Amino acid sequence: MISISDVKKIYQSKSGPISAVDGVNIDIGQGEIFGVIGYSGAGKSTLIRMLNGLEVPTNGTVNVNGQIVSKVKGKDLRQARQSIGMIFQHFNLLWSRTVLENIQFPLEIAGVSKKERLRRANELLELVGLDGRGDAYPSQLSGGQKQRVGIARSLANNPDVLLCDEATSALDPQTTDSILDLLVDINKRLGLTIVLITHEMHVIKKICHRVAVMEQGKVVELGDVLEVFRNPKEQVTKRFVREVSQVEETGETIDHLLAQYPKGKVLKFTFVGESTEQPLITSLIRRFDLDVNILQGQISQTQKGAYGTLFVHLDGNEETVQAAVSFAEEQMVKVEVIGG
């Protein structure tokens, strides 16, 4: 569906060339929800803008649904963009037009008849949950409702791909979740390929199938969301995972745990998928002569299963503790001894 091949984007500045995107290779499948995450300046916005021709690569090719977007111009580019919808952080609605008129705008540009424009706009209003608000103006809508209008407008031309540029960054957490749920529903109903960029790991965790982590213009890590959560390799990825897991793993916190429990061992258990449903702690208590204290933990849901971390303190003789660790690993739980 989408193939990004050895793409580079270099800007010229007074201080010299700036490499915004540096040798990126990504393939995205039909119907996939693919996330690109990175902090400010990582190159993710430049990358997504190259998918619809708003930016042209300095080197490399961008192929979207068989069309080399990085090569076409003029009329061919405008036609290619009709199959690529886009929603933005700040909605980009026309404030002098009603909701229905905003949704119809891309169809108006495409030369679709007034009757067909109205039919399609009402159909999309229902899809995004805004029945009855067609005559309202953007100033009369909440942030979440404005983004729903933006989503409806982006779907007007029946695109094959939907690009989301920090689409939930301006929204509160509850509204963010409702918009993400809507995107998942649209993906399932329409089989739409969705590519989103964000600096929030919560967004990736909630709806994405795969994720690319960007830093300084490069993709430093790429894989299934669940696998990236389970085994983040790069420091930037580990930082994102810590943010969303809500489990502090700083040296200061670990030192505090070790000071509080000087005897025995402090362990970090990492659970993925079906292992999150196993009664591991109950089994440890029943099978081994140990004192088991749960210190802190968190379980999160992703599109491909659950991911969780749990810090525990095991107090007992060395041989028994080691046997308990081995038992936990046999249950497909990753075990890390952090002290003791």
Side-chain angles (χ1 to χ4, degrees), residues 99-134:
V99 166
L100 270 177
E101 289 169 343
N102 265 280
I103 297 171
Q104 292 179 71
F105 186 61
L107 298 171
E108 184 180 332
I109 293 174
V112 176
S113 70
K114 185 175 181 179
K115 181 179 179 181
E116 177 59 22
R117 292 200 308 262
L118 186 60
R119 184 202 67 78
R120 178 63 173 156
N122 278 303
E123 180 181 82
L124 290 167
L125 266 185
E126 182 179 354
L127 177 67
V128 301
L130 286 178
D131 277 352
R133 301 309 307 271

mmCIF file of all heavy atoms in Angstrom, residues 99-134:
data_model
loop_
_atom_site.group_PDB
_atom_site.id
_atom_site.type_symbol
_atom_site.label_atom_id
_atom_site.label_comp_id
_atom_site.label_asym_id
_atom_site.label_seq_id
_atom_site.Cartn_x
_atom_site.Cartn_y
_atom_site.Cartn_z
ATOM 1 N N VAL A 99 -20.934 23.064 9.153
ATOM 2 C CA VAL A 99 -20.352 21.723 9.203
ATOM 3 C C VAL A 99 -20.560 21.003 7.875
ATOM 4 O O VAL A 99 -19.623 20.434 7.300
ATOM 5 C CB VAL A 99 -20.962 20.924 10.373
ATOM 6 C CG1 VAL A 99 -20.640 19.437 10.239
ATOM 7 C CG2 VAL A 99 -20.467 21.460 11.705
ATOM 8 N N LEU A 100 -21.784 21.013 7.375
ATOM 9 C CA LEU A 100 -22.077 20.335 6.103
ATOM 10 C C LEU A 100 -21.265 20.933 4.958
ATOM 11 O O LEU A 100 -20.747 20.212 4.098
ATOM 12 C CB LEU A 100 -23.567 20.432 5.789
ATOM 13 C CG LEU A 100 -24.465 19.306 6.316
ATOM 14 C CD1 LEU A 100 -25.926 19.592 5.988
ATOM 15 C CD2 LEU A 100 -24.058 17.954 5.745
ATOM 16 N N GLU A 101 -21.138 22.250 4.949
ATOM 17 C CA GLU A 101 -20.395 22.908 3.883
ATOM 18 C C GLU A 101 -18.903 22.601 3.969
ATOM 19 O O GLU A 101 -18.233 22.471 2.937
ATOM 20 C CB GLU A 101 -20.639 24.418 3.944
ATOM 21 C CG GLU A 101 -22.052 24.805 3.524
ATOM 22 C CD GLU A 101 -22.391 26.253 3.840
ATOM 23 O OE1 GLU A 101 -21.670 26.875 4.666
ATOM 24 O OE2 GLU A 101 -23.367 26.769 3.282
ATOM 25 N N ASN A 102 -18.371 22.459 5.186
ATOM 26 C CA ASN A 102 -16.972 22.074 5.357
ATOM 27 C C ASN A 102 -16.722 20.683 4.801
ATOM 28 O O ASN A 102 -15.710 20.448 4.129
ATOM 29 C CB ASN A 102 -16.587 22.129 6.840
ATOM 30 C CG ASN A 102 -15.942 23.435 7.243
ATOM 31 O OD1 ASN A 102 -14.761 23.661 7.020
ATOM 32 N ND2 ASN A 102 -16.747 24.315 7.829
ATOM 33 N N ILE A 103 -17.637 19.768 5.089
ATOM 34 C CA ILE A 103 -17.461 18.389 4.631
ATOM 35 C C ILE A 103 -17.568 18.309 3.109
ATOM 36 O O ILE A 103 -16.864 17.527 2.457
ATOM 37 C CB ILE A 103 -18.495 17.461 5.303
ATOM 38 C CG1 ILE A 103 -18.279 17.444 6.824
ATOM 39 C CG2 ILE A 103 -18.393 16.040 4.745
ATOM 40 C CD1 ILE A 103 -19.372 16.731 7.595
ATOM 41 N N GLN A 104 -18.434 19.155 2.537
ATOM 42 C CA GLN A 104 -18.634 19.139 1.084
ATOM 43 C C GLN A 104 -17.500 19.804 0.311
ATOM 44 O O GLN A 104 -17.375 19.604 -0.909
ATOM 45 C CB GLN A 104 -19.937 19.867 0.734
ATOM 46 C CG GLN A 104 -21.197 19.162 1.204
ATOM 47 C CD GLN A 104 -22.444 19.954 0.844
ATOM 48 O OE1 GLN A 104 -22.818 20.047 -0.322
ATOM 49 N NE2 GLN A 104 -23.085 20.524 1.852
ATOM 50 N N PHE A 105 -16.673 20.584 0.980
ATOM 51 C CA PHE A 105 -15.684 21.404 0.287
ATOM 52 C C PHE A 105 -14.766 20.611 -0.649
ATOM 53 O O PHE A 105 -14.563 21.008 -1.807
ATOM 54 C CB PHE A 105 -14.873 22.207 1.312
ATOM 55 C CG PHE A 105 -13.925 23.191 0.685
ATOM 56 C CD1 PHE A 105 -14.398 24.217 -0.116
ATOM 57 C CD2 PHE A 105 -12.561 23.090 0.905
ATOM 58 C CE1 PHE A 105 -13.527 25.132 -0.700
ATOM 59 C CE2 PHE A 105 -11.683 23.989 0.319
ATOM 60 C CZ PHE A 105 -12.171 25.015 -0.491
ATOM 61 N N PRO A 106 -14.180 19.487 -0.212
ATOM 62 C CA PRO A 106 -13.324 18.720 -1.145
ATOM 63 C C PRO A 106 -14.096 18.209 -2.364
ATOM 64 O O PRO A 106 -13.538 18.127 -3.463
ATOM 65 C CB PRO A 106 -12.818 17.546 -0.294
ATOM 66 C CG PRO A 106 -13.031 17.961 1.112
ATOM 67 C CD PRO A 106 -14.224 18.848 1.112
ATOM 68 N N LEU A 107 -15.377 17.888 -2.175
ATOM 69 C CA LEU A 107 -16.203 17.406 -3.287
ATOM 70 C C LEU A 107 -16.524 18.544 -4.250
ATOM 71 O O LEU A 107 -16.616 18.341 -5.464
ATOM 72 C CB LEU A 107 -17.486 16.787 -2.745
ATOM 73 C CG LEU A 107 -17.283 15.565 -1.842
ATOM 74 C CD1 LEU A 107 -18.602 15.161 -1.191
ATOM 75 C CD2 LEU A 107 -16.701 14.401 -2.616
ATOM 76 N N GLU A 108 -16.689 19.732 -3.692
ATOM 77 C CA GLU A 108 -16.928 20.914 -4.519
ATOM 78 C C GLU A 108 -15.729 21.172 -5.418
ATOM 79 O O GLU A 108 -15.870 21.446 -6.620
ATOM 80 C CB GLU A 108 -17.182 22.110 -3.600
ATOM 81 C CG GLU A 108 -17.546 23.392 -4.308
ATOM 82 C CD GLU A 108 -17.780 24.524 -3.319
ATOM 83 O OE1 GLU A 108 -18.186 24.245 -2.163
ATOM 84 O OE2 GLU A 108 -17.551 25.684 -3.693
ATOM 85 N N ILE A 109 -14.532 21.074 -4.842
ATOM 86 C CA ILE A 109 -13.303 21.270 -5.623
ATOM 87 C C ILE A 109 -13.179 20.203 -6.707
ATOM 88 O O ILE A 109 -12.718 20.472 -7.826
ATOM 89 C CB ILE A 109 -12.073 21.234 -4.692
ATOM 90 C CG1 ILE A 109 -12.089 22.449 -3.762
ATOM 91 C CG2 ILE A 109 -10.773 21.196 -5.491
ATOM 92 C CD1 ILE A 109 -10.991 22.425 -2.720
ATOM 93 N N ALA A 110 -13.620 18.974 -6.388
ATOM 94 C CA ALA A 110 -13.517 17.851 -7.334
ATOM 95 C C ALA A 110 -14.598 17.893 -8.409
ATOM 96 O O ALA A 110 -14.619 17.040 -9.308
ATOM 97 C CB ALA A 110 -13.580 16.532 -6.579
ATOM 98 N N GLY A 111 -15.530 18.873 -8.321
ATOM 99 C CA GLY A 111 -16.559 19.016 -9.350
ATOM 100 C C GLY A 111 -17.746 18.087 -9.193
ATOM 101 O O GLY A 111 -18.489 17.848 -10.143
ATOM 102 N N VAL A 112 -17.975 17.568 -7.989
ATOM 103 C CA VAL A 112 -19.106 16.677 -7.732
ATOM 104 C C VAL A 112 -20.396 17.507 -7.675
ATOM 105 O O VAL A 112 -20.401 18.647 -7.188
ATOM 106 C CB VAL A 112 -18.893 15.913 -6.405
ATOM 107 C CG1 VAL A 112 -20.096 15.049 -6.061
ATOM 108 C CG2 VAL A 112 -17.621 15.063 -6.491
ATOM 109 N N SER A 113 -21.485 16.951 -8.145
ATOM 110 C CA SER A 113 -22.760 17.671 -8.187
ATOM 111 C C SER A 113 -23.247 18.029 -6.784
ATOM 112 O O SER A 113 -22.915 17.355 -5.807
ATOM 113 C CB SER A 113 -23.826 16.827 -8.885
ATOM 114 O OG SER A 113 -24.187 15.710 -8.076
ATOM 115 N N LYS A 114 -24.044 19.091 -6.701
ATOM 116 C CA LYS A 114 -24.525 19.571 -5.403
ATOM 117 C C LYS A 114 -25.342 18.505 -4.683
ATOM 118 O O LYS A 114 -25.210 18.302 -3.465
ATOM 119 C CB LYS A 114 -25.374 20.825 -5.612
ATOM 120 C CG LYS A 114 -25.814 21.478 -4.310
ATOM 121 C CD LYS A 114 -26.545 22.783 -4.569
ATOM 122 C CE LYS A 114 -26.960 23.438 -3.254
ATOM 123 N NZ LYS A 114 -27.671 24.734 -3.497
ATOM 124 N N LYS A 115 -26.193 17.799 -5.416
ATOM 125 C CA LYS A 115 -27.021 16.752 -4.824
ATOM 126 C C LYS A 115 -26.162 15.633 -4.236
ATOM 127 O O LYS A 115 -26.395 15.172 -3.108
ATOM 128 C CB LYS A 115 -27.970 16.186 -5.874
ATOM 129 C CG LYS A 115 -28.897 15.107 -5.339
ATOM 130 C CD LYS A 115 -29.834 14.597 -6.439
ATOM 131 C CE LYS A 115 -30.754 13.496 -5.916
ATOM 132 N NZ LYS A 115 -31.656 12.987 -6.989
ATOM 133 N N GLU A 116 -25.147 15.207 -4.987
ATOM 134 C CA GLU A 116 -24.264 14.131 -4.516
ATOM 135 C C GLU A 116 -23.400 14.605 -3.347
ATOM 136 O O GLU A 116 -23.140 13.845 -2.412
ATOM 137 C CB GLU A 116 -23.391 13.634 -5.668
ATOM 138 C CG GLU A 116 -22.378 12.561 -5.292
ATOM 139 C CD GLU A 116 -23.002 11.299 -4.718
ATOM 140 O OE1 GLU A 116 -24.202 11.044 -4.961
ATOM 141 O OE2 GLU A 116 -22.287 10.558 -4.016
ATOM 142 N N ARG A 117 -22.977 15.864 -3.392
ATOM 143 C CA ARG A 117 -22.182 16.416 -2.276
ATOM 144 C C ARG A 117 -22.975 16.367 -0.977
ATOM 145 O O ARG A 117 -22.458 15.973 0.070
ATOM 146 C CB ARG A 117 -21.773 17.869 -2.577
ATOM 147 C CG ARG A 117 -20.795 18.041 -3.704
ATOM 148 C CD ARG A 117 -20.071 19.374 -3.632
ATOM 149 N NE ARG A 117 -20.932 20.532 -3.504
ATOM 150 C CZ ARG A 117 -21.298 21.318 -4.521
ATOM 151 N NH1 ARG A 117 -20.897 21.029 -5.766
ATOM 152 N NH2 ARG A 117 -22.051 22.393 -4.323
ATOM 153 N N LEU A 118 -24.235 16.782 -1.049
ATOM 154 C CA LEU A 118 -25.074 16.814 0.150
ATOM 155 C C LEU A 118 -25.342 15.411 0.668
ATOM 156 O O LEU A 118 -25.313 15.169 1.879
ATOM 157 C CB LEU A 118 -26.391 17.527 -0.168
ATOM 158 C CG LEU A 118 -27.329 17.773 1.025
ATOM 159 C CD1 LEU A 118 -26.637 18.630 2.081
ATOM 160 C CD2 LEU A 118 -28.626 18.440 0.563
ATOM 161 N N ARG A 119 -25.600 14.496 -0.250
ATOM 162 C CA ARG A 119 -25.841 13.105 0.173
ATOM 163 C C ARG A 119 -24.628 12.530 0.886
ATOM 164 O O ARG A 119 -24.747 11.929 1.952
ATOM 165 C CB ARG A 119 -26.175 12.249 -1.070
ATOM 166 C CG ARG A 119 -26.533 10.792 -0.724
ATOM 167 C CD ARG A 119 -26.328 9.860 -1.906
ATOM 168 N NE ARG A 119 -24.927 9.739 -2.266
ATOM 169 C CZ ARG A 119 -24.052 8.973 -1.596
ATOM 170 N NH1 ARG A 119 -24.413 8.294 -0.516
ATOM 171 N NH2 ARG A 119 -22.794 8.911 -2.011
ATOM 172 N N ARG A 120 -23.452 12.734 0.292
ATOM 173 C CA ARG A 120 -22.219 12.203 0.872
ATOM 174 C C ARG A 120 -21.909 12.858 2.215
ATOM 175 O O ARG A 120 -21.503 12.185 3.166
ATOM 176 C CB ARG A 120 -21.060 12.429 -0.107
ATOM 177 C CG ARG A 120 -19.694 11.960 0.379
ATOM 178 C CD ARG A 120 -19.637 10.483 0.593
ATOM 179 N NE ARG A 120 -18.279 10.050 0.903
ATOM 180 C CZ ARG A 120 -17.989 8.942 1.572
ATOM 181 N NH1 ARG A 120 -18.962 8.145 1.990
ATOM 182 N NH2 ARG A 120 -16.736 8.606 1.814
ATOM 183 N N ALA A 121 -22.119 14.163 2.326
ATOM 184 C CA ALA A 121 -21.834 14.877 3.572
ATOM 185 C C ALA A 121 -22.727 14.377 4.707
ATOM 186 O O ALA A 121 -22.265 14.182 5.840
ATOM 187 C CB ALA A 121 -22.011 16.377 3.371
ATOM 188 N N ASN A 122 -24.004 14.154 4.425
ATOM 189 C CA ASN A 122 -24.910 13.639 5.462
ATOM 190 C C ASN A 122 -24.539 12.219 5.871
ATOM 191 O O ASN A 122 -24.642 11.844 7.048
ATOM 192 C CB ASN A 122 -26.359 13.688 4.959
ATOM 193 C CG ASN A 122 -26.983 15.066 5.108
ATOM 194 O OD1 ASN A 122 -27.034 15.617 6.205
ATOM 195 N ND2 ASN A 122 -27.446 15.640 4.003
ATOM 196 N N GLU A 123 -24.101 11.433 4.910
ATOM 197 C CA GLU A 123 -23.634 10.070 5.188
ATOM 198 C C GLU A 123 -22.436 10.090 6.137
ATOM 199 O O GLU A 123 -22.364 9.323 7.096
ATOM 200 C CB GLU A 123 -23.267 9.408 3.870
ATOM 201 C CG GLU A 123 -22.769 7.977 3.967
ATOM 202 C CD GLU A 123 -22.414 7.433 2.592
ATOM 203 O OE1 GLU A 123 -21.290 7.718 2.110
ATOM 204 O OE2 GLU A 123 -23.253 6.734 2.003
ATOM 205 N N LEU A 124 -21.518 11.025 5.886
ATOM 206 C CA LEU A 124 -20.316 11.126 6.711
ATOM 207 C C LEU A 124 -20.629 11.715 8.088
ATOM 208 O O LEU A 124 -19.994 11.342 9.087
ATOM 209 C CB LEU A 124 -19.256 11.961 5.997
ATOM 210 C CG LEU A 124 -18.633 11.281 4.777
ATOM 211 C CD1 LEU A 124 -17.832 12.267 3.946
ATOM 212 C CD2 LEU A 124 -17.756 10.108 5.208
ATOM 213 N N LEU A 125 -21.590 12.618 8.158
ATOM 214 C CA LEU A 125 -22.015 13.160 9.458
ATOM 215 C C LEU A 125 -22.461 12.033 10.388
ATOM 216 O O LEU A 125 -22.124 11.999 11.567
ATOM 217 C CB LEU A 125 -23.162 14.157 9.283
ATOM 218 C CG LEU A 125 -22.843 15.634 9.162
ATOM 219 C CD1 LEU A 125 -24.134 16.437 9.133
ATOM 220 C CD2 LEU A 125 -21.965 16.105 10.312
ATOM 221 N N GLU A 126 -23.219 11.108 9.824
ATOM 222 C CA GLU A 126 -23.688 9.965 10.609
ATOM 223 C C GLU A 126 -22.514 9.080 11.019
ATOM 224 O O GLU A 126 -22.438 8.618 12.159
ATOM 225 C CB GLU A 126 -24.705 9.163 9.808
ATOM 226 C CG GLU A 126 -25.278 7.970 10.577
ATOM 227 C CD GLU A 126 -26.302 7.198 9.760
ATOM 228 O OE1 GLU A 126 -26.648 7.651 8.651
ATOM 229 O OE2 GLU A 126 -26.734 6.124 10.232
ATOM 230 N N LEU A 127 -21.578 8.866 10.090
ATOM 231 C CA LEU A 127 -20.429 8.007 10.364
ATOM 232 C C LEU A 127 -19.612 8.524 11.548
ATOM 233 O O LEU A 127 -19.164 7.745 12.394
ATOM 234 C CB LEU A 127 -19.532 7.909 9.129
ATOM 235 C CG LEU A 127 -18.246 7.097 9.278
ATOM 236 C CD1 LEU A 127 -18.559 5.618 9.489
ATOM 237 C CD2 LEU A 127 -17.343 7.272 8.058
ATOM 238 N N VAL A 128 -19.429 9.845 11.626
ATOM 239 C CA VAL A 128 -18.583 10.406 12.689
ATOM 240 C C VAL A 128 -19.379 10.826 13.928
ATOM 241 O O VAL A 128 -18.827 11.434 14.843
ATOM 242 C CB VAL A 128 -17.747 11.596 12.173
ATOM 243 C CG1 VAL A 128 -16.862 11.161 11.024
ATOM 244 C CG2 VAL A 128 -18.631 12.781 11.770
ATOM 245 N N GLY A 129 -20.673 10.509 13.952
ATOM 246 C CA GLY A 129 -21.462 10.762 15.157
ATOM 247 C C GLY A 129 -21.873 12.203 15.353
ATOM 248 O O GLY A 129 -21.985 12.670 16.502
ATOM 249 N N LEU A 130 -22.149 12.932 14.249
ATOM 250 C CA LEU A 130 -22.545 14.336 14.369
ATOM 251 C C LEU A 130 -23.922 14.599 13.730
ATOM 252 O O LEU A 130 -24.178 15.683 13.217
ATOM 253 C CB LEU A 130 -21.504 15.252 13.726
ATOM 254 C CG LEU A 130 -20.193 15.432 14.499
ATOM 255 C CD1 LEU A 130 -19.234 16.328 13.721
ATOM 256 C CD2 LEU A 130 -20.437 16.028 15.881
ATOM 257 N N ASP A 131 -24.790 13.609 13.775
ATOM 258 C CA ASP A 131 -26.152 13.805 13.267
ATOM 259 C C ASP A 131 -26.783 15.029 13.922
ATOM 260 O O ASP A 131 -26.695 15.218 15.142
ATOM 261 C CB ASP A 131 -27.013 12.575 13.586
ATOM 262 C CG ASP A 131 -26.816 11.473 12.561
ATOM 263 O OD1 ASP A 131 -26.143 11.727 11.559
ATOM 264 O OD2 ASP A 131 -27.331 10.360 12.783
ATOM 265 N N GLY A 132 -27.425 15.862 13.121
ATOM 266 C CA GLY A 132 -28.128 17.013 13.660
ATOM 267 C C GLY A 132 -27.283 18.257 13.819
ATOM 268 O O GLY A 132 -27.798 19.306 14.217
ATOM 269 N N ARG A 133 -25.977 18.169 13.552
ATOM 270 C CA ARG A 133 -25.109 19.337 13.713
ATOM 271 C C ARG A 133 -24.653 19.915 12.380
ATOM 272 O O ARG A 133 -23.754 20.742 12.320
ATOM 273 C CB ARG A 133 -23.865 18.980 14.538
ATOM 274 C CG ARG A 133 -24.107 18.452 15.944
ATOM 275 C CD ARG A 133 -25.049 19.339 16.764
ATOM 276 N NE ARG A 133 -24.670 20.740 16.821
ATOM 277 C CZ ARG A 133 -23.856 21.272 17.739
ATOM 278 N NH1 ARG A 133 -23.321 20.492 18.661
ATOM 279 N NH2 ARG A 133 -23.577 22.559 17.736
ATOM 280 N N GLY A 134 -25.290 19.519 11.297
ATOM 281 C CA GLY A 134 -24.851 19.938 9.968
ATOM 282 C C GLY A 134 -24.931 21.427 9.732
ATOM 283 O O GLY A 134 -24.141 21.986 8.962
#
